[in-house]
């Protein structure tokens, strides 16, 4: 499993962790990780601590994810990204769409 | 799924040195509906094999002249690709001999004495195998054909994409670029084209995702870019249009990271809109010094709607030895066998190589470094890299009309008739949002057959309009452009002043005069500004070292006459040509660069 998820006991906080290469091959797995989580006040954390590499297709997947869980009202933070991945995300201005810490 | 038809009656070749066995098998197999041919030893069998071309062989092991093992081996070589089962006829019971039979290419064996039922069952089993083999062979051939077709289609598509995406100005000797075949199919796009007024518009883009869907998206992008560039639109407007189109056609999650650049030679600057492409580099080829990085400030195209879209541009001054290097993330993210990426730091190292100095061969060095870094992993090459030698790209709008206009005198124009006039009054609220030039150009072209003079007329309008707007309505001072910083200050002041414009206007008056031999287009433009000291401005024309001040001399070169009113807020320019003069006799060679 390259995508793992963990829901907090109160069900209000979902962490999705991606390890290895985050690219289009994870499309299905990644989508399944947030399946059924509509815009219902849950906060999300994408943990890229174990991610070695991210491609633009994965960035597209992050956008689809953001739309699915509430778009502009979604509470999503991206954490533990490596400097290179952070740079990629910033190049695409993703800091304006996600909290990147 | 293709399947070979069942073969009830087959051609069976019986090879046995004992006549009684040959006879028995001929009778039994004949009863089962097969056609039987016989040979008395291995050598005979090999000799006759090709002529008979049997579907199946029954082969005795012990025979004079050539035994069954040798015969089977030779027959295998003869049939090659085709599947012809060989069944060994044997009285042998020892395992070693049976194994040897199978090792020599036998599919199975039958033992003497022959049983009708077992023979029949074994033949049917073989037929089943033959059908399967035939099916696999057919599928293999079809697959090979399919593969061939796909690879052919790829070649055609590659040529097609090359044509679509790499037409325009990319053939210019001042532009060098590398785009890997892999990158074409992954949706990289590089296009460049000159506007009628001589500016060079460039787009470097990279679709998210891979493969055909990404590649197809490049086609509408190319159409919009080339169409609008030819009509004279600025890159900010082109970015808005492409963004709109991408929003419409691309599924969510797909977008186009793109960097648009507009090189304005007459102003000595570039304007940049960068959404998601790695920071391109402006550098001085004479010193190797990096003058600017083209920062990515915007969302990629197709990601946000028009109302959220930010079309503001960054402005960087350029000098005569400057070059522009642009590249996709395939360069910075190229990986070596250890999985490390090339990165921006290594890119910078290429610049600082030898502690600076001339950077004439920088592109070549970069390509070499990149190849060396990647090692043998060239299979997954997926990048686009382009270098623009700015000074070499400077192309004056065609000024061949000068020859004509200088040769005309007022006396040659006594019987002129007015064909049409046209007036426009653009008030401040329109000026804030609309660039009227493409609109006016389109109307002029529709009214009269002016296409061969399009570039000159566009340039005249563009110079007159920017003068009226910037120095008249917005009251900006040209001198503010002095120095590298001044540029940016000037253009951000322009942007700011325009966005908050509360009063003012620009009025256009067009008039077309015709005689039998000569045509004239009179353009009058008036602005709400304070005007300026006409004489002082004309004085400073001689000074060519400034970043600004090239507009007026250019106008005078193109027009028969350029006259200001005393106040300096109204200009009348007369453009003139002989009937039948196409206006496109040749390219002007003199440079505008200081």
């Amino acid at each position: 499993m390259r995508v793992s998820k963990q829901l907090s006991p109160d069900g209000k906080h979902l962490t999705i962790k991606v390890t290895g290469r985050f690219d289009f091959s994870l499309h299905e797995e990644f989508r399944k990780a947030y399946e059924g989580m509509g815009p219902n006040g849950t906060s999300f954390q994408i943990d890229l601590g174990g991610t070695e590499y991210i491609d633009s297709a994965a960035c597209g997947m992050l956008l689809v994810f953001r739309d699915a869980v509430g778009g502009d009202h979604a509470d999503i933070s991206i954490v533990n990204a490596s400097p290179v991945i952070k740079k990629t995300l910033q190049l695409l201005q993703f800091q304006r769409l996600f909290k990147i810490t | 799924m293709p399947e070979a038809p069942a073969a009830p009656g087959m051609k069976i070749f019986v090879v046995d040195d004992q006549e009684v066995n040959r006879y028995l098998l001929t009778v039994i197999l004949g009863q089962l509906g097969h056609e039987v041919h016989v040979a008395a030893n291995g050598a005979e069998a090999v000799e006759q094999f090709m002529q008979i071309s049997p579907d199946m062989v029954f082969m005795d092991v012990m025979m004079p002249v050539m035994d069954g093992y040798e015969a089977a081996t030779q027959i295998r070589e003869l049939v090659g690709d085709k599947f012809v089962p060989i069944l060994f006829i044997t009285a042998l019971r020892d395992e070693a001999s049976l194994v040897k039979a199978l090792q020599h290419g036998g599919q199975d064996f039958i033992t003497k004495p022959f049983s009708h039922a077992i023979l029949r069952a074994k033949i049917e089993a073989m037929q089943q195998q033959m059908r399967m083999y035939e099916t696999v062979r057919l599928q293999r051939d079809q697959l090979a054909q399919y593969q061939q077709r796909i690879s052919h289609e790829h070649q055609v598509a590659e040529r097609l994409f090359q044509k679509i995406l790499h037409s325009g100005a990319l053939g210019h000797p001042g532009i060098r670029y590398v785009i890997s075949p892999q990158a074409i199919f992954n949706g990289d796009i590089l296009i460049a084209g000159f506007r009628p007024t001589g500016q060079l518009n460039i787009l470097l883009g990279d679709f998210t995702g891979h493969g055909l869907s990404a590649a197809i998206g490049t086609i509408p992008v190319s159409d919009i870019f080339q169409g609008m560039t030819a009509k004279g639109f600025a890159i900010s407007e082109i970015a808005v249009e492409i963004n709109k189109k991408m929003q419409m056609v691309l599924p969510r999650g797909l977008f186009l990271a793109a960097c648009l650049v507009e090189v304005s030679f007459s102003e000595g600057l570039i304007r940049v809109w960068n959404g998601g492409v790695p920071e391109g580099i402006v550098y001085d080829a004479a010193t190797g010094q990096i003058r600017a990085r083209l920062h990515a400030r915007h969302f990629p195209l197709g990601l946000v709607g028009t109302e959220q879209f930010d079309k503001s541009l960054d402005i960087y001054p350029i000098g005569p030895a400057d070059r522009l290097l642009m590249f996709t993330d395939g360069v910075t993210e190229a990986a070596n066998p250890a999985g490390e990426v090339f990165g921006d730091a290594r890119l910078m190292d290429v610049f600082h190589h030898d502690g600076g100095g001339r950077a004439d061969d920088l592109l070549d060095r970069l390509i070499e470094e990149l190849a060396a870094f990647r090692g043998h992993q060239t299979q997954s090459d997926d990048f686009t890299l382009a270098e623009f030698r700015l000074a070499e790209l400077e192309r004056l709008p065609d000024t061949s009309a000068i020859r004509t206009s200088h040769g005309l005198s007022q006396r040659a124009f006594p019987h002129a008739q007015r064909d049409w006039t046209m007036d426009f009054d653009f008030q401040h609220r329109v000026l804030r949002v609309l660039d009227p030039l493409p609109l006016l150009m389109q109307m002029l072209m529709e009214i009269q057959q002016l296409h061969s003079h399009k570039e000159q007329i566009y340039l005249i309008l563009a110079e007159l309009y920017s003068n009226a707007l910037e120095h008249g309505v917005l009251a900006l001072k040209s001198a503010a452009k002095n120095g590298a910083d001044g540029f940016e200050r000037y253009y951000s002041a322009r942007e700011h002043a325009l966005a908050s414009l509360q009063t003012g206007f620009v009025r256009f008056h067009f008039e077309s005069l015709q005689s039998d031999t000569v045509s004239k287009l009179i353009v009058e433009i008036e602005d709400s500004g304070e005007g300026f000291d006409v004489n002082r401005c004309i004085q400073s024309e001689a000074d060519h070292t400034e970043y600004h001040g090239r507009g007026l001399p250019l106008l005078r070169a193109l027009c028969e006459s350029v006259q200001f009113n005393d106040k300096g807020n109204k200009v009348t320019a007369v453009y003139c040509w002989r009937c039948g003069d196409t206006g496109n006799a040749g390219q002007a060679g003199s440079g505008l660069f200081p």
Side-chain angles (χ1 to χ4, degrees):
Chain A
M1 281 298 273
R2 282 156 61 194
V3 179
S4 60
K5 61 169 174 176
Q6 197 175 12
L7 194 61
S8 64
D10 62 3
K12 291 227 179 283
H13 189 80
L14 180 74
T15 301
I16 300 174
K17 199 171 162 62
V18 183
T19 45
R21 291 174 76 87
F22 190 6
D23 59 18
F24 198 75
S25 65
L26 290 189
H27 181 69
E28 240 352 80
E29 255 188 272
F30 186 74
R31 195 183 53 74
K32 279 199 178 121
Y34 62 85
E35 205 168 35
M37 308 290 295
N40 56 4
T42 314
S43 67
F44 297 88
Q45 195 175 62
I46 306 291
D47 185 346
L48 299 183
T51 309
E52 291 161 13
Y53 171 85
I54 187 165
D55 77 350
S56 55
C59 294
M61 285 149 63
L62 286 172
L63 282 179
V64 174
F65 160 62
R66 184 175 177 272
D67 281 356
V69 300
D72 289 346
H73 307 290
D75 176 9
I76 308 170
S77 34
I78 296 175
V79 300
N80 299 329
S82 72
V84 174
I85 291 177
K86 236 182 218 174
K87 181 116 203 279
T88 304
L89 294 174
Q90 275 158 1
L91 198 62
L92 299 172
Q93 301 293 312
F94 271 28
Q95 75 277 10
R96 286 152 71 178
L97 302 173
F98 303 91
K99 282 177 241 165
I100 301 176
T101 51
Chain B
M1 223 203 262
E3 193 174 295
M10 295 189 302
K11 222 188 257 183
I12 300 180
F13 195 13
V14 174
V15 187
D16 200 315
D17 59 326
Q18 290 177 40
E19 195 172 352
V20 59
N21 287 342
R22 294 205 295 272
Y23 176 74
L24 269 172
L25 282 169
T26 303
V27 171
I28 300 171
L29 296 173
Q31 281 171 354
L32 289 172
H34 302 293
E35 181 187 330
V36 185
H37 297 260
V38 295
N41 64 56
E44 238 177 65
V46 171
E47 199 183 303
Q48 295 174 27
F49 183 86
M50 289 310 279
Q51 201 194 337
I52 296 170
S53 181
D55 301 309
M56 193 181 288
V57 181
F58 281 41
M59 178 78 74
D60 190 16
V61 179
M62 308 293 214
M63 289 180 292
V65 189
M66 186 191 287
D67 68 12
Y69 301 134
E70 178 57 27
T73 306
Q74 291 197 19
I75 284 174
R76 276 275 157 268
E77 274 174 28
L78 287 177
V79 295
D81 196 20
K82 202 177 153 202
F83 180 62
V84 181
I86 298 173
L87 284 79
F88 281 99
I89 308 164
T90 174
L92 303 169
R93 290 274 171 219
D94 69 298
E95 268 183 24
S97 305
L98 296 179
V99 167
K100 195 174 171 192
L102 294 179
Q103 280 170 345
H104 280 78
Q107 260 65 39
D108 201 352
F109 39 81
I110 49 176
T111 46
K112 291 182 271 194
F114 306 119
S115 143
H116 202 277
I118 286 181
L119 262 182
R120 185 190 177 128
K122 292 221 174 192
I123 288 171
E124 274 170 14
M126 276 307 126
Q127 277 179 312
Q128 182 72 21
Q129 269 196 37
M130 286 162 74
R131 276 197 296 273
M132 276 171 54
Y133 182 87
E134 192 56 24
T135 304
V136 170
R137 203 174 62 88
L138 269 175
Q139 286 175 344
R140 184 204 61 190
D141 289 353
Q142 280 184 336
L143 205 62
Q145 260 181 14
Y146 178 73
Q147 217 165 20
Q148 213 176 8
R149 210 177 65 212
I150 288 286
S151 108
H152 174 71
E153 282 183 357
H154 266 212
Q155 281 170 11
V156 174
E158 194 183 322
R159 278 198 293 272
L160 191 77
F161 275 110
Q162 288 277 12
K163 275 219 174 94
I164 294 172
L165 307 181
H166 310 127
S167 48
L170 287 188
H172 194 290
I175 303 175
R176 293 181 62 206
Y177 64 98
V178 190
I179 175 163
S180 62
Q182 180 85 1
I184 294 180
F185 285 107
N186 284 340
D188 275 17
I189 175 170
L190 175 68
I191 358 173
F194 287 100
R195 277 160 55 187
T197 34
Q199 295 99 325
L200 177 67
N201 281 1
I202 303 165
L203 183 150
L204 173 68
D206 179 6
F207 272 91
T208 50
H210 299 288
L212 201 56
S213 55
I216 286 173
T218 57
I219 293 171
V221 172
S222 165
D223 280 351
I224 293 171
F225 179 88
Q226 285 174 346
M228 289 182 77
T229 297
K231 288 201 181 87
F233 280 96
I235 54 164
S236 49
E237 300 308 320
I238 296 176
V240 170
E241 279 310 305
I242 295 177
N243 184 64
K244 201 190 284 173
K245 184 77 176 180
M246 293 298 103
Q247 268 265 307
M248 214 157 68
V249 302
L250 294 180
R252 195 67 175 134
L254 256 190
F255 49 80
L256 173 65
C259 182
L260 286 88
V261 177
E262 169 182 307
V263 188
S264 175
F265 305 100
S266 59
E267 295 171 295
L269 57 84
I270 58 172
R271 294 186 176 83
V272 178
W273 184 98
N274 189 355
V277 169
E279 287 109 2
I281 300 168
V282 180
Y283 69 97
D284 183 336
T287 62
Q289 185 206 347
I290 292 175
R291 292 165 64 95
R293 299 294 307 261
L294 315 183
H295 297 295
R297 285 202 299 117
H298 302 286
F299 285 125
L301 295 169
L303 204 147
V304 295
T306 305
E307 60 291 343
Q308 278 185 67
F309 189 78
D310 178 3
K311 63 174 184 177
S312 68
L313 304 177
D314 296 316
I315 293 167
Y316 306 94
I318 50 171
D322 281 4
R323 292 185 191 173
L324 167 64
L325 182 74
M326 297 171 77
F327 45 89
T328 56
D329 60 6
V331 170
T332 43
E333 288 177 13
N336 67 8
E340 293 167 319
V341 295
F342 190 70
D344 205 62
R346 282 191 181 81
L347 188 67
M348 288 297 103
D349 286 348
V350 179
F351 275 90
H352 300 135
H353 179 73
D354 300 336
R358 283 195 69 82
D360 228 15
D361 57 343
L362 194 113
L363 185 72
D364 298 314
R365 279 217 315 265
L366 181 56
I367 293 168
E368 274 168 33
E369 290 285 331
L370 205 55
F373 177 78
R374 297 173 54 91
H376 298 296
Q377 306 207 98
T378 45
Q379 280 298 307
S380 55
D381 258 354
D382 185 7
F383 67 84
T384 303
L385 189 62
E387 183 194 62
F388 301 85
R389 302 175 176 212
L390 299 176
E392 287 175 35
L393 283 159
E394 180 176 7
R395 197 181 75 154
L396 261 187
D398 192 347
T399 51
S400 54
I402 300 165
R403 289 176 293 109
T404 328
S405 59
H406 284 175
L408 291 168
S409 70
Q410 287 297 325
R411 267 171 293 128
F413 210 60
H415 305 296
Q417 292 197 335
R418 181 184 292 130
D419 268 2
W420 52 265
T421 64
M422 189 159 69
D423 285 280
F424 290 89
D425 181 343
F426 295 104
Q427 292 290 328
H428 60 96
R429 286 205 301 193
V430 177
L431 294 176
R432 281 207 300 255
V433 292
L434 177 81
D435 174 5
L437 292 181
L439 175 87
L440 293 174
M441 274 314 282
Q442 209 162 351
M443 286 188 167
L444 289 174
M445 294 299 124
E446 297 276 331
I447 297 172
Q448 201 174 345
Q449 286 306 312
L450 290 172
H451 284 279
S452 47
H453 301 275
K454 194 174 170 184
E455 298 196 348
Q456 293 92 320
I457 293 173
Y458 199 111
L459 182 72
I460 293 167
L461 287 192
E463 290 298 334
L464 290 175
Y465 178 68
S466 63
N467 183 58
L469 182 71
E470 293 174 12
H471 305 316
V473 177
L474 302 177
L476 298 165
K477 297 273 172 277
S478 257
K481 274 194 258 186
N482 283 345
D485 291 348
F487 250 124
E488 235 170 300
R489 273 204 307 279
Y490 178 83
Y491 280 97
S492 75
R494 179 191 189 278
E495 201 176 312
H496 184 258
L498 189 59
S500 54
L501 188 63
Q502 292 302 327
T503 170
F505 63 82
V506 177
R507 290 185 186 134
F508 290 87
H509 170 77
F510 296 95
E511 202 170 321
S512 168
L513 297 176
Q514 304 277 337
S515 76
D516 290 344
T517 51
V518 173
S519 303
K520 287 189 182 187
L521 177 70
I522 298 166
V523 184
E524 215 170 78
I525 182 164
E526 183 185 356
D527 63 68
S528 57
E530 294 289 310
F532 65 99
D533 184 345
V534 177
N535 291 325
R536 203 177 57 85
C537 182
I538 290 165
Q539 274 294 305
S540 71
E541 260 178 50
D543 185 2
H544 269 249
T545 57
E546 301 288 337
Y547 274 104
H548 62 91
R550 277 175 212 91
L552 192 56
L554 195 63
L555 272 178
R556 289 196 192 284
L558 280 170
C559 296
E560 185 191 40
S561 67
V562 180
Q563 283 172 336
F564 293 86
N565 66 353
D566 289 343
K567 193 182 167 199
N569 70 336
K570 186 169 174 180
V571 193
T572 307
V574 180
Y575 177 69
C576 188
W577 69 97
R578 275 184 212 283
C579 298
D581 183 356
T582 62
N584 275 334
Q587 291 295 327
S590 68
L592 283 176
F593 253 104

